[in-house]
Amino acid sequence: MHAPLNPILHRVAASALVALIVLCLAWELHFAPLKPGGSWLVLKVVPLLFPLRGVLKGNLYTLQWTSMMILLYFAEGVVRAWSDPVATVLPWALGEIVLALIFYFCAIFYLWPAKKAAKQRAKAEKAARSA
């Protein structure tokens, strides 16, 4: 028994991840880098590249751990939006916050039926073993 997964949630989550990668590259290389000409902070994109293939394929395990990792980008966006004195950073930080939240909630709601089905299978197997 496989749980019905919502392909729209998967596509939106994958699109949000790709958009977050593009946003972070544009932000740190061109539009509002810490130093003129770009900064080493652009390397924050590297962790987002590791799960990209699995997320695009819809791998449930990859979506699970990426939904936890994406919270780091949400936190960075909040910190930079709140504390960065340069006004040009605010739209980029808000974009990072929004994209991280979109990914997080789409991934969680996409995974929900699969997790529910796995719990039901485990419960049924436990009942079968004890009977």
Side-chain angles (χ1 to χ4, degrees), residues 85-110:
V86 182
T88 57
V89 169
L90 185 61
W92 297 99
L94 292 176
E96 184 175 37
I97 291 167
V98 168
L99 289 172
L101 287 175
I102 289 171
F103 178 87
Y104 180 78
F105 285 112
C106 285
I108 293 299
F109 288 122
Y110 177 73

Side-chain angles (χ1 to χ4, degrees), residues 34-68:
L34 287 178
K35 296 179 181 177
S39 72
W40 284 97
L41 201 52
V42 75
L43 293 177
K44 72 182 180 185
V45 169
V46 172
L48 293 173
L49 297 175
F50 291 118
L52 183 59
R53 182 175 181 205
V55 168
L56 292 175
K57 285 181 143 188
N59 182 291
L60 298 181
Y61 180 73
T62 305
L63 279 157
Q64 270 184 287
W65 67 262
T66 306
S67 68
M68 294 295 105

